[in-house]
Structure formats: structure tokens, C-alpha cells
Amino acid sequence: MAHANKVYKVRNGKKTKQFTWRVKYRAPEGHDPEWLSESGFPTKKLAEDWGNEQERLIREGTWIDPSKANATFGEFARTFMASRKKRGRTVGTRWDKLENHILPRWDGVPLRKISWFDVDTWQQSLGIEDVSRGHCVSLMSTIMTAAVDAGYLTVNPLFGRRRTKDTSGDAAMPKQPKIKRDGGPRPEDAVLLAERLGPAIGIHVLTTAFTGLRWGEGLGLHRDNTLLTRRQPWGAGEFVCPILRVAEEYAEYTERDKDGRKAGYIIRLEPTKNDGSTRDIDVPPFLEQLLRHHLADWSHERVFCTQSGRPWLRGNWSKVLRPACDGRPVREKRRGVSYRPAWEPILPGLDMRALRALHDTMQSEIGVKEPLAFEAAGHRRPGIKRHYQKPTPAMRAERLDGLEDVFQRAMGNVKMRTLWGRVDLRKPQQS
């Protein structure tokens, strides 16, 4: 039980007759020191009442340690970031949001003084895309929830709240899509782009479009995980097909030290982002044929990399992809500069993410069943059906036949019989 005692004031080094009351109360179990105190009360009753209230809060589990009561958001955010072991890309993204948007406003604000009204008002003022505003608020809420768990707060005022979205003026106008074509990219675009870029780079484009590899997963694909074999019982026989095994990926980001200071720009091999991303993807016959030729020619361990064997940096890849998609003017021959022909645009704005989306669109078009569509895309299927429905060999065979037909039609539509002049990819006639 809390108890109080007098604390006499001192003036010029001498104790006076004036005093206030100091209360001592027992700290939570395991706390150092065992007893805590608070001074400055005018009466003994007020001191003891305050101390007894602290002990009641301790018993209920809602007590806040005085050493944490005035901690600022910035202080705890740095503690939070140092204690969370996430993938490097995730850490870099979080620090970018903190450094560029969150900490300039909330660094020195005590955690206990942060309210939903103030946060909601602030996020509306950010001059960034609405989805990025949501990510900033979500990160703040995650940090505030951790502050509750760490005993800095009793409740997270941001938890479960819905942001106010700006619907006035230009905010209500639909955003211009990156690819200004109804329906997005077509399989024909992937074929034309692959042909233009040549076999070493074009095979990366086709593989992304017809397997749905993420950018980092493609860079991380090892030749030892390429064209492995899936075997499953199927009726009275066996289903056999080649696969790509996705088990790791390259991430490109700015590395930070434990205090958030930039420590250099790196590209690093990491595990896949979640358990759904680690998967085996069935490969259609035409792509198997092209990949076998590529592996025979390619001397590097990583299937899709630069000619020197290093992983592509996004900036360098963009210099290759953008003119191939968007078109380029002719470059006349002059001293020290070779002639370069003009390229007509194939599809301005097309990128690797759009090619991955094309794969998902094609799966929907050919009727790939949900269990297999989610698996191939590396998405975790929501709901209880994830546990009940599994991909079957019949689903896999149907998907492979469908993708093969899509590719053959695309080749016919662009009036091509071969890719890179090296192999005839026409589907053999059924006997």
C-alpha cells in the first residue's frame, strides 16, 4: 500500500519549516527499482490517494511507467525500427516514409498527445498519392500499437479508424493510367517486345508474361531451380511438367543503420516475401523450349541477369525497356557513333509489373481455377477455401494448354513463326 512522508524545503543550504508530501508506491513485479515515488503534493491524503491509484492501475495492467510517459513518437519510432527484423526492402520503405513524411511532423510530439483527429487532418495535407497517405497512417498505427505493447500507452488512438479521403477538386478526377489502352497489355505486346529485345533479355519478358514472376523473383531465379520436374498421380497414370522453383529474390534498396542513417544503396538476395511466394510454377511447352535454349547459351548462375552476370538495377533495366516499349528515334551514323534504327512504339508505359498483371489476366481469360491461379501468382488465397481446395493435375494441364494456345494465337496475330530466328515455335499438328 502506498505511504507518504514529508519533504522539507531547503533554502540557502538549510532546512526550513515548509514541506510538501512525497508518496512511495510499489512498482510492478520485476521493475527496478522495486519502489517508485512522486513528490510535490500539498497534503498527505492527496499523496496517498495518488499512490494508491498508481497501484490500482498496476494491478489492472493499465499503468504507464513515468520514465515512458513523456516519450516522443520519434524516440519510440527509432526504438521500434531497431527492434524489428524485416526484409531489407521493407525496412528501407518504412524508413523512407518515416524520414520523408512522418517524422517531420511527429518526431517531437509525445506519444500520449497524438490524437486521431490530428493524424487524420495531417494525412489529408500530404502532397502524395492517396495510397501512400494510407501507408503512412498504417505505419504510424503499427508503431503506436507497439508502443501500447511496450507500456508507453494504454490505447492506440489510430487503431481501426477510417481515413478521411480528399474528394474535392482534382482529387475527384480519375487518375491517368500508366498504360493508356483499354484492356491493358496483350500477349502480342509481350511477343513483339521479346523479339525486339533479343534472346538474352526477351526471354525474361516472356517468362514474366507467361508465368507471373515478380521482378525480384525473376532476378533471383537460379538455373538449378529452372525446369525442374513436377510429378503427380493423375488418374491411372502420372502428370509430368517442367516447373520454375521460386525460393529467393533480389531486393534493391537504401540500407540503413539501426538509427535510420543511410548506409549505402545495395541490391541483395533475400528469401521470398511470404510463404505464398515460395512456390513451383508450371511452365507451358513453348516456354520450356525457349528456356532450354537459353540455359544452353547462358553461362551465368542466375537465369535473368546482365551480360556480366550481375543482377539488373532498376535504372539500367529501364534504359533498356523504355525505348523498346515507348519507341525511339533514328540515330544517324557519325564519327564515333554507330547507326541505330528507329523503333515504333509497341505499348508506351508497359513495364514488368504490367506483364505480371497480363499473366493473371490471361489466367482469368482461359478459366484457370482459383486454387491454381492464386498459387501461380504467389498470392495467398483468402478464406476457408484455401484449406479445402487444392490444385489438381487436371487444373494444371488445363492451364498449360490454355497458355500454349494464347501464345500460338499471339504469334499468328503478329505473323511470326519463330522468335529470334532460332527455333520454329509453331504448335505441332495432332496426329
Side-chain angles (χ1 to χ4, degrees):
M1 186 173 179
H3 57 276
N5 60 283
K6 294 177 181 178
V7 178
Y8 287 92
K9 296 182 179 180
V10 175
R11 184 179 297 116
N12 297 327
K14 295 182 179 180
K15 185 170 74 172
T16 68
K17 295 182 178 182
Q18 296 176 317
F19 61 85
T20 57
W21 290 87
R22 176 178 62 194
V23 63
K24 285 191 173 184
Y25 61 96
R26 188 178 293 277
E29 185 176 348
H31 190 279
D32 186 20
E34 182 180 355
W35 289 86
L36 297 172
S37 64
E38 185 71 17
S39 303
F41 296 95
T43 68
K44 181 178 182 180
K45 185 177 186 311
L46 286 175
E48 290 180 341
D49 286 349
W50 189 89
N52 289 331
E53 175 66 10
Q54 301 310 300
E55 291 187 347
R56 183 187 70 81
L57 293 174
I58 290 171
R59 289 192 298 272
E60 292 181 353
T62 58
W63 177 76
I64 300 297
D65 191 327
S67 65
K68 300 178 178 179
N70 294 315
T72 66
F73 179 86
E75 291 169 350
F76 184 75
R78 293 175 177 88
T79 299
F80 170 85
M81 291 298 293
S83 66
R84 291 300 182 269
K85 303 302 181 185
K86 291 286 187 178
R87 299 165 73 247
R89 178 80 175 173
T90 302
V91 172
T93 300
R94 284 181 167 181
W95 271 118
D96 287 343
K97 286 179 170 52
L98 285 167
E99 190 175 72
N100 296 327
H101 306 298
I102 300 174
L103 292 181
R105 168 64 178 85
W106 300 103
D107 193 355
V109 179
L111 286 165
R112 58 186 174 81
K113 290 189 176 181
I114 295 177
S115 70
W116 171 245
F117 178 83
D118 290 337
V119 172
D120 193 35
T121 302
W122 159 76
Q123 65 91 15
Q124 293 177 73
S125 70
L126 292 174
I128 55 179
E129 291 289 332
D130 185 69
V131 66
S132 296
R133 296 177 191 173
H135 291 161
C136 288
V137 174
S138 177
L139 177 56
M140 280 194 71
S141 182
T142 298
I143 293 172
M144 297 282 281
T145 296
V148 173
D149 295 339
Y152 286 77
L153 292 170
T154 58
V155 65
N156 173 12
L158 314 187
F159 181 78
R161 304 303 295 266
R162 179 172 295 184
R163 293 184 302 118
T164 301
K165 297 188 178 182
D166 188 1
T167 58
S168 62
D170 294 340
M173 298 295 291
K175 300 295 187 292
Q176 287 294 323
K178 185 183 294 185
I179 298 175
K180 298 178 181 178
R181 181 209 280 165
D182 288 344
R186 308 168 302 156
E188 290 80 1
D189 300 317
V191 168
L192 291 171
L193 181 59
E195 173 70 13
R196 176 173 283 180
L197 289 171
I201 300 176
I203 187 63
H204 190 178
V205 167
L206 274 183
T207 303
T208 300
F210 283 87
T211 66
L213 286 176
R214 295 181 178 92
W215 168 247
E217 293 171 348
L219 297 186
L221 183 64
H222 196 282
R223 65 189 303 124
D224 290 346
N225 288 331
T226 304
L227 300 184
L228 303 179
T229 302
R230 181 194 300 279
R231 296 183 180 276
Q232 285 183 266
W234 188 17
E238 186 179 43
F239 173 78
V240 180
C241 79
I243 60 168
L244 304 180
R245 177 156 294 162
V246 180
E248 54 192 356
E249 61 182 317
Y250 270 104
E252 182 180 350
Y253 55 91
T254 300
E255 194 171 30
R256 308 267 185 160
D257 64 16
K258 62 183 181 63
D259 296 318
R261 291 186 292 266
K262 293 181 179 179
Y265 196 73
I266 64 170
I267 182 165
R268 176 176 292 165
L269 197 62
E270 296 183 342
T272 52
K273 61 189 303 183
N274 52 50
D275 56 355
S277 297
T278 301
R279 64 199 187 279
D280 293 340
I281 306 175
D282 302 330
V283 178
F286 82 89
L287 188 57
E288 176 192 6
Q289 188 176 4
L290 291 173
L291 282 169
R292 290 200 186 281
H293 281 279
H294 177 63
L295 291 175
D297 293 344
W298 202 240
S299 60
H300 304 298
E301 290 185 346
R302 302 294 162 179
V303 180
F304 309 126
C305 59
T306 66
Q307 292 288 347
S308 64
R310 298 181 62 81
W312 284 98
L313 295 173
R314 289 178 183 270
N316 292 339
W317 177 259
S318 181
K319 292 176 183 177
V320 172
L321 190 68
R322 287 277 48 87
C325 297
D326 305 343
R328 72 183 184 193
V330 65
R331 184 176 68 190
E332 299 294 346
K333 183 178 181 179
R334 60 184 186 273
R335 186 174 182 180
V337 177
S338 61
Y339 171 79
R340 186 184 68 186
W343 278 346
E344 291 296 320
I346 292 176
L347 182 58
L350 180 63
D351 58 16
M352 298 299 276
R353 177 173 289 184
L355 289 171
R356 171 171 158 81
L358 169 63
H359 172 256
D360 211 38
T361 301
M362 289 190 295
Q363 290 200 127
S364 180
E365 183 181 274
I366 63 179
V368 177
K369 305 301 187 293
E370 275 200 6
L372 183 55
F374 275 87
E375 178 195 271
H379 293 153
R380 191 179 185 199
R381 189 182 181 192
I384 192 65
K385 294 297 184 183
R386 176 175 75 251
H387 302 287
Y388 282 85
Q389 297 180 350
K390 306 298 181 183
T392 66
M395 294 180 190
R396 298 187 186 281
E398 183 183 38
R399 172 181 173 273
L400 293 178
D401 288 343
L403 290 176
E404 184 74 18
D405 288 341
V406 168
F407 174 76
Q408 297 296 340
R409 285 198 305 271
M411 291 286 286
N413 290 338
V414 297
K415 297 180 172 53
M416 290 172 56
R417 293 174 52 182
T418 66
L419 277 168
W420 313 305
R422 63 188 303 173
V423 59
D424 193 329
L425 292 167
R426 287 176 299 176
K427 191 172 184 178
Q429 296 294 323
Q430 297 292 329
S431 56

